[in-house]
Amino acid sequence: MFHVKLFFHYFMQYLKIRMAYRSDFLVQLATDLLFQAVNLVFILVVFSHTTELSGWTREEVIFIYGYFLVPFSFFSAFFNLWDFNERYIIKGELDRVLTRPAHSLYQVILETMTPESLTGAVTGFMVMGWAVKEMEVDFSWYDPFLFILFVAGGAAIYAGIYILLTSISLYSDSKTDIQPIMYNVGNYGRYPINVYNRVIQLVLTWVIPFAFVGFYPASFLLDKERWMTFALLTPLVGAVWLMLGVAVWNRGIRNYRGAGN
Amino acid sequence: MRSIEARGLTKEFKVYQSRSGLTGAFRDLFNRQYRTIRAVNGIDLTIEPGEIVGYIGENGAGKSTTIKMLTGILEPTGGCLRVNGYDPHREREEFVRTIGVVFGQRSQLWWDIAVKESFRLLKKLYRLSGEGYRQHLDRLVEVLEIGPFLDQPVRKLSLGQRMRCELAAALLHQPRLLFLDEPTIGLDVLVKENIRRFLKQVNAEYGTTILLTTHDLSDIEALCSRVVMLDKGNIIYDGDLERLRTQWGDGRRLILELKEEVPSFVLNEKTRGLSVKWEGEGTRYTARLEKGTTVSDVLSRLVPAVAVQELKIEEATTEDIVRRIYREGAAHA
Ligand SMILES: Nc1ncnc2c1ncn2[C@@H]1O[C@H](COP(=O)(O)OP(=O)(O)O)[C@@H](O)[C@H]1O
Ligand SMILES: [Mg+2]
């Protein structure tokens, strides 16, 4: 309960800051929406040239792509840890966080969240909507619930992986370039996995499981015959990775060396 | 329960060294070389509730590292530590509710939001509520005179204004123990005064234990009954300020400009029997007063005999004392 309230208060604070620069905020929101619109057109144009991709119809590929945007936007909104090293380690803001009575990672997440990234989810829904309209899909009554579970699992996988990578800064003060690489790897989860070779498929499933973020659950939602086991594993894989990330973070905090040297 | 109890408290840092060139970088990948710095070397420190303790030492002595261990930011490499009855790092989230922290060099407030919004968030973080909180906050605002800029974001405040807000923020939850790492650095005399008076008042009124580091001996003089001095990670003095001064301080320095040239033996002659060392020649002299000799002792002997154009009294700074201790070695501390 405390954590929920805290989230709410940080969120209000965030809104206040954004509202203080109301015009900036509106401009940014408009930019975001425009960006998403361009993104949408881009997706449709790019995929309109493909008719079929390793046994996947164009509409299916587009649906998977659109689905992926939903967990991804939740991840981007609440795990905006890109400049953690710069801001919290080098500038030393982590010292301040550590003198406050709440979990350090939770505080960092609350301080860095960018809820406007959720506009990506809107695009995702529009893309999925378009694909579904073209396709004739039988959805069952429990699909919305599965959808929520899958999205939570997918966002948790992303979060876990990025928390783990971010924690590296707590152990070593040297800069790493892993995050942008991981960002690119993450994009592989947006496409049907069997277009890749065997090794990449295994990696995306068992090593850095981005396939669970987009592909497995989305293709399962389209057709219950496919990838059922993998799809249903999504929440579990998410929980495991999130716990792993948090555990590595907690260990890392014990190694933290303090600001200003 | 003691406020602070440390036995053999130690912090080591590994500092990695990188080899040069491409092959060096490659070897670093597998086998990095490092050097271990012992920033705090097995110190014993006990502080009772209600004390105000000054923690001093040269740059790099390990003061900030100690404070960071005491506040739960860093995990000690070795030793036992209890602060307000908690293990600061292991029980951090519970523990930090009982302490307040101010770092002079770094803001504890959120940079972009108005001071009063910062306070509001802190109120939620510390789960403070209702009437008691309101009254306490009003009191802090009044005593620290921060009312006029509560609506401004921290980044727009002057250093002095910011420092006063930091103090209020650190005390919102009425901690039993307050840590201040160089709270007066860069402040002008008036603000320093103001802050000292405030700290004294907090200590007297709420019995708040205070541990502060500073480079300004006058902070210590104004506030602390007890001084702990650190040198290269070791405590070399722990006791009251007076003893430190008589033991180590150069005492005061009296800087004189005379109307006309006077040979130094005349001055020595006049102040025979007083503990004074004269330096200088011609019309400019510096007298170092030791062992209880006062400025008026010296002047009452001199003034009838020599014409003084101008005089200035200088205090030894902490830096002076520390430097002198280094010069003469820590052996007889
Ligand atoms: N994070 C760190 N990594 C490496 N060395 C450090 C670190 N923090 C402090 N040190 C070293 O520890 C010693 C004590 O530093 P510090 O506690 O900041 O001293 P002080 O506050 O007394 O000036 C210094 O030699 C400093 O370089
Ligand atoms: Mg320091």
Side-chain angles (χ1 to χ4, degrees):
Chain A
M1 201 50 212
F2 165 67
H3 290 92
V4 176
K5 276 192 190 155
L6 208 54
F7 175 83
F8 173 76
H9 288 290
Y10 273 83
F11 182 72
M12 293 311 285
Q13 211 53 64
Y14 172 84
L15 280 187
K16 266 185 211 157
I17 295 177
R18 301 314 302 258
M19 287 309 164
Y21 304 95
R22 203 175 333 248
S23 51
D24 280 9
F25 184 59
L26 291 178
V27 169
Q28 156 123 47
L29 205 63
T31 319
D32 277 359
L33 287 174
L34 189 65
F35 174 79
Q36 293 300 341
V38 171
N39 207 12
L40 180 64
V41 171
F42 181 76
I43 293 163
L44 296 179
V45 168
V46 166
F47 286 113
S48 66
H49 294 294
T50 52
T51 44
E52 207 175 80
L53 199 66
S54 309
W56 298 85
T57 67
R58 185 177 70 154
E59 288 75 23
E60 283 176 322
V61 173
I62 292 180
F63 180 87
I64 294 170
Y65 192 100
Y67 168 86
F68 174 89
L69 293 178
V70 181
F72 183 73
S73 75
F74 275 92
F75 158 74
S76 322
F78 300 111
F79 297 88
N80 189 9
L81 301 168
W82 301 106
D83 60 355
F84 176 80
N85 192 53
E86 175 70 25
R87 179 167 161 198
Y88 287 88
I89 302 289
I90 298 172
K91 291 216 184 105
E93 302 248 319
L94 195 56
D95 274 23
R96 168 177 57 74
V97 166
L98 287 173
T99 59
R100 302 274 161 74
H103 190 269
S104 47
L105 178 59
Y106 192 56
Q107 288 185 66
V108 170
I109 285 172
L110 292 182
E111 288 183 7
T112 53
M113 65 181 173
T114 50
E116 67 265 28
S117 300
L118 288 175
T119 47
V122 177
T123 315
F125 278 111
M126 279 157 68
V127 172
M128 277 189 288
W130 182 86
V132 166
K133 191 170 57 66
E134 302 284 302
M135 256 189 308
E136 304 275 302
V137 192
D138 288 332
F139 287 119
S140 28
W141 62 269
Y142 53 79
D143 277 342
F145 300 98
L146 280 181
F147 180 83
I148 291 170
L149 267 181
F150 290 162
V151 167
I157 290 168
Y158 246 103
I161 291 172
Y162 275 86
I163 290 168
L164 202 143
L165 293 181
T166 305
S167 304
I168 293 175
S169 311
L170 296 168
Y171 294 87
S172 129
D173 38 14
S174 51
K175 244 173 96 64
T176 58
D177 295 323
I178 293 187
Q179 293 218 1
I181 296 173
M182 203 49 82
Y183 184 81
N184 288 325
V185 175
N187 288 339
Y188 284 77
R190 306 178 178 203
Y191 304 101
I193 193 170
N194 49 349
V195 306
Y196 309 120
N197 75 35
R198 212 54 218 132
V199 178
I200 295 183
Q201 287 184 33
L202 284 174
V203 168
L204 288 177
T205 306
W206 300 116
V207 187
I208 25 179
F210 285 120
F212 288 96
V213 179
F215 172 66
Y216 290 136
S219 52
F220 173 71
L221 286 174
L222 287 178
D223 179 351
K224 298 291 178 310
E225 312 278 281
R226 286 180 314 209
W227 304 107
M228 182 165 85
T229 323
F230 283 101
L232 294 179
L233 273 177
T234 304
L236 185 69
V237 176
V240 167
W241 273 87
L242 191 58
M243 284 192 296
L244 185 68
V246 173
V248 172
W249 172 280
N250 286 340
R251 263 306 335 230
I253 288 293
R254 300 181 49 191
N255 275 282
Y256 174 56
R257 301 156 65 96
N261 272 280
Chain B
M1 187 181 37
R2 295 192 151 131
S3 286
I4 298 177
E5 189 152 27
R7 294 269 156 276
L9 185 64
T10 301
K11 182 71 191 179
E12 288 178 349
F13 292 107
K14 281 182 182 155
V15 182
Y16 289 95
Q17 287 154 334
S18 38
R19 282 169 273 218
S20 59
L22 194 61
T23 49
F26 191 70
R27 283 170 63 202
D28 279 347
L29 261 183
F30 298 99
N31 169 23
R32 282 183 84 187
Q33 290 184 320
Y34 61 83
R35 182 164 59 87
T36 306
I37 294 180
R38 251 188 184 220
V40 176
N41 184 17
I43 62 170
D44 297 335
L45 182 66
T46 307
I47 293 177
E48 302 289 346
E51 281 194 274
I52 305 187
V53 178
Y55 197 49
I56 60 178
E58 274 206 334
N59 271 334
K63 305 179 296 294
S64 297
T65 305
T66 315
I67 300 253
K68 284 179 191 172
M69 285 192 284
L70 297 179
T71 50
I73 295 172
L74 296 182
E75 182 175 56
T77 314
C80 302
L81 178 63
R82 301 299 280 181
V83 183
N84 283 341
Y86 292 94
D87 178 328
H89 194 80
R90 293 264 165 77
E91 304 169 278
R92 192 187 68 74
E93 284 175 48
E94 273 301 299
F95 162 70
V96 292
R97 307 172 145 282
T98 67
I99 61 163
V101 187
V102 173
F103 290 115
Q105 319 244 33
R106 181 167 290 116
S107 181
Q108 289 287 101
L109 297 165
W110 288 270
W111 204 241
D112 289 316
I113 65 182
V115 177
K116 78 169 186 239
E117 302 292 351
S118 267
F119 289 172
R120 189 170 299 162
L121 272 183
L122 286 172
K123 174 179 174 230
K124 300 299 171 194
L125 264 168
Y126 287 95
R127 303 181 218 194
L128 309 171
S129 60
E131 198 45 35
Y133 166 77
R134 266 250 73 84
Q135 279 174 4
H136 184 61
L137 177 60
D138 289 345
R139 182 84 214 285
L140 288 171
V141 169
E142 186 192 317
V143 178
L144 286 164
E145 296 167 18
I146 54 179
F149 35 85
L150 283 181
D151 286 320
Q152 305 218 3
V154 173
R155 67 186 142 75
K156 288 202 179 149
L157 301 184
S158 75
L159 189 58
Q161 293 171 336
R162 200 200 88 203
M163 234 29 238
R164 285 182 283 155
C165 293
E166 302 268 351
L167 276 170
L171 291 169
L172 278 186
H173 54 293
Q174 311 204 11
R176 279 178 272 155
L177 174 57
L178 179 62
F179 293 95
L180 305 143
D181 194 359
E182 312 211 6
T184 57
I185 196 163
L187 298 180
D188 63 52
V189 186
L190 237 55
V191 183
K192 276 187 187 178
E193 263 313 311
N194 193 333
I195 286 179
R196 288 175 196 151
R197 205 173 331 114
F198 174 75
L199 291 175
K200 252 188 176 146
Q201 199 177 335
V202 166
N203 172 261
E205 207 165 306
Y206 303 97
T208 311
T209 316
I210 298 177
L211 178 68
L212 82 153
T213 77
T214 180
H215 276 108
D216 186 345
L217 192 60
S218 45
D219 284 343
I220 307 268
E221 279 181 323
L223 288 170
C224 305
S225 43
R226 178 175 161 202
V227 195
V228 175
M229 186 188 281
L230 201 64
D231 175 31
K232 302 191 184 80
N234 298 297
I235 290 183
I236 56 168
Y237 179 85
D238 182 347
D240 60 46
L241 183 63
E242 239 1 86
R243 190 159 68 85
L244 180 80
R245 274 187 153 295
T246 49
Q247 204 167 321
W248 289 108
D250 279 349
R252 284 155 199 265
R253 236 186 293 253
L254 183 61
I255 299 165
L256 292 178
E257 203 175 322
L258 305 179
K259 282 223 170 79
E260 49 208 47
E261 295 198 1
V262 174
S264 64
F265 73 85
V266 176
L267 300 177
N268 277 319
E269 187 66 28
K270 290 286 167 207
T271 54
R272 196 201 301 275
L274 298 175
S275 294
V276 179
K277 286 206 186 89
W278 288 100
E279 278 165 16
E281 55 178 22
T283 58
R284 296 179 147 270
Y285 284 95
T286 301
R288 285 184 10 201
L289 316 184
E290 281 163 10
K291 302 212 180 68
T293 305
T294 65
V295 174
S296 62
D297 288 343
V298 177
L299 288 182
S300 63
R301 302 260 192 113
L302 282 187
V303 171
V306 294
V308 177
Q309 171 97 26
E310 228 176 271
L311 68 89
K312 209 166 88 191
I313 301 163
E314 260 184 11
E315 290 291 329
T317 62
T318 312
E319 292 287 334
D320 291 337
I321 295 184
V322 173
R323 226 176 276 129
R324 170 130 182 262
I325 293 176
Y326 287 149
R327 228 176 26 238
E328 296 178 15
H332 48 284

